[in-house]
Amino acid sequence: LNRGEIVFDAETDLAAEASQRFFLETCSQLEEVACTADICVGGKLKRSDQKVFCIVTELVEYYNVFILGNVTHPAKATTVPPDLFYSVVQRFATENQASSPLSARRLIFGTTLGVDADVKRVNWAAIVMPTALPNPTPNRDARLAFDELEAWIAKRREAAPASCKTFFQTDTLSFGRGWTKMDLEDAVIDNLWTGFAICLPLAFIVVLLATYSLSIATL
C-alpha cells in the first residue's frame, strides 16, 4: 500500500527556546485537559494513575543533572540552550537516561522524537498522554472526547510559535483504543440511515405497483 511521501514542516524547530517552552506548557496543560464524557473518570481526559510523557522535560532534566550537574541548584535551566540542543539529544539517547521504562534510544529514534540521520534536525516530536478512555470506547463517548480535545488543540495551535504550528493529535492506531475506527463507525451509521431513506420509499413504490393496495404497501 503506497501511502505517499511524508512531507515534514520545514519551519519545525524544537531546538528554539520558544518551541521548547510551548512544548513544556502543552505537556503541563494536558495533565488537566477536561473531558465531559461519562467514561472519563474525574472529569479529565488523562488517566489519573499515569503521567503525560514529555520528551522536552526529559531532555531539560538530563541537561540539568548530567551536563550542568544542577541536581538541586536553584538556578536550574528551564530549557536546553538551542546551540546545545542536538548534542544533548545525542548524549541522552546514547546514555539511556530516560525516566520512562522505554529505552531513551527508542524514545528519541521513533516514539516521541523523529530526528534525521545525523541528529541535526527534529522532523517531528510527540507528547504521549495515556487517556482515561476504556478499551474499546463506545463511538458516542469517543466522539465527545475527540471533539473536546480537538477544540483544546485548536486553541493551543493559535498560541504556538511558527516553529510549532503543525500541531495535531493522533492515537495509538490500535483498534478500540482512541479514534482509529471512529470515522469509519460514523460512516457506517450515516450510510445505514441513508440506506433506510432510499430503500423504504422504493419498497413502498414497488409493493404499491405490484398489489395496487395502499394498505398493503404501508404495512
Side-chain angles (χ1 to χ4, degrees), residues 203-205 207-208 211 213-219:
F204 172 80
I205 294 172
V207 174
L208 181 62
T211 63
S213 173
L214 184 60
S215 60
I216 294 177
T218 55
L219 292 178

Side-chain angles (χ1 to χ4, degrees), residues 160-173:
S163 52
C164 291
K165 284 292 185 182
T166 312
F167 178 54
F168 59 92
Q169 60 160 315
T170 183
D171 70 356
T172 61
L173 302 182

Side-chain angles (χ1 to χ4, degrees), residues 13-15 82 84-90 115 119-122:
D13 181 14
L14 194 60
L84 298 177
F85 185 82
Y86 290 105
S87 62
V88 172
V89 168
Q90 286 179 314
V115 295
V119 196
K120 296 295 184 181
R121 168 180 166 75
V122 171

Side-chain angles (χ1 to χ4, degrees), residues 190-211:
D190 290 343
N191 288 336
L192 174 65
W193 291 113
T194 300
F196 284 154
I198 295 172
C199 292
L200 291 178
L202 285 177
F204 172 80
I205 294 172
V206 169
V207 174
L208 181 62
L209 293 175
T211 63

Side-chain angles (χ1 to χ4, degrees), residues 145-162:
F146 175 84
D147 289 343
E148 289 181 340
L149 184 55
E150 274 292 281
W152 183 85
I153 290 285
K155 290 181 180 179
R156 289 300 296 156
R157 191 181 294 116
E158 291 176 358

Side-chain angles (χ1 to χ4, degrees), residues 2-10 123-124 168:
N2 182 7
R3 298 183 183 276
E5 182 180 352
I6 298 176
V7 179
F8 296 112
D9 185 350
N123 293 317
W124 57 267
F168 59 92

